[in-house]
Amino acid sequence: MMMKKAIVFAAVLCSCGLASAQTLIVASDTSGLTSLSKSEVRQLYMGNAGSVGNAKVTLLDMPEGSAVRQSFYNSVAGKSESQLKSYWARMIFTGRGSPPKQVRTPKEMARTLKANPQALGYLKEDDLQPGLKVLLRLP
């Protein structure tokens, strides 16, 4: 019985650590970017900027409905998934922008970022891989 309680306690501790993993704004190690502010990330991902300084940026997004995407947009823009859909519908309709290109998985995000020094994306800390550098940590 005591062993069972210890296993349950360990599982709860592990799941808490996973749930609190930070969202990281990342780029390829070969990117010219060294850091970004939360404001710069918001401007980029909301279609209000296409570059940082002289560096043009290609944005990557996780799939709709994913927990990391919901956490990212809530933290950066204060928008829910439905608010984001509505926002991009207006931006597309008025010809003022188009949403970032979506990837399917964290592995695809990392692979695409590594292959394109101009690409910018986000991952949970647990999905960070060699070949990527962190430009900003979100709570």
Side-chain angles (χ1 to χ4, degrees):
M1 183 67 172
M2 187 61 109
M3 184 62 147
K4 202 178 220 181
K5 284 183 181 179
I7 291 171
V8 169
F9 182 71
V12 168
L13 284 179
C14 289
S15 67
C16 290
L18 291 175
S20 66
Q22 284 185 305
T23 300
L24 309 174
I25 310 305
V26 293
S28 167
D29 275 347
T30 59
S31 168
L33 297 173
T34 55
S35 68
L36 290 172
S37 70
K38 188 174 176 179
S39 175
E40 288 172 317
V41 172
R42 180 177 33 258
Q43 293 294 313
L44 290 165
Y45 271 90
M46 298 311 292
N48 299 318
S51 60
V52 177
N54 295 347
K56 181 146 176 53
V57 176
T58 302
L59 300 173
L60 301 176
D61 217 348
M62 293 302 287
E64 287 183 28
S66 69
V68 67
R69 178 183 164 117
Q70 291 172 8
S71 172
F72 170 76
Y73 280 104
N74 189 36
S75 176
V76 167
K79 294 201 180 292
S80 68
E81 192 82 24
S82 62
Q83 290 171 322
L84 192 62
K85 274 183 147 179
S86 176
Y87 175 83
W88 280 114
R90 283 191 311 275
M91 292 291 281
I92 292 166
F93 181 74
T94 60
R96 294 186 359 221
S98 57
K101 177 185 183 247
Q102 287 188 26
V103 296
R104 292 182 298 259
T105 65
K107 285 183 181 182
E108 184 181 348
M109 173 71 80
R111 189 172 46 249
T112 307
L113 288 168
K114 289 181 203 179
N116 183 353
Q118 292 181 316
L120 182 67
Y122 56 92
L123 292 166
K124 282 293 186 191
E125 194 168 17
D126 299 338
D127 294 318
L128 187 63
Q129 296 181 7
L132 298 175
K133 64 179 164 182
V134 177
L135 304 175
L136 178 66
R137 292 178 177 274
L138 298 171

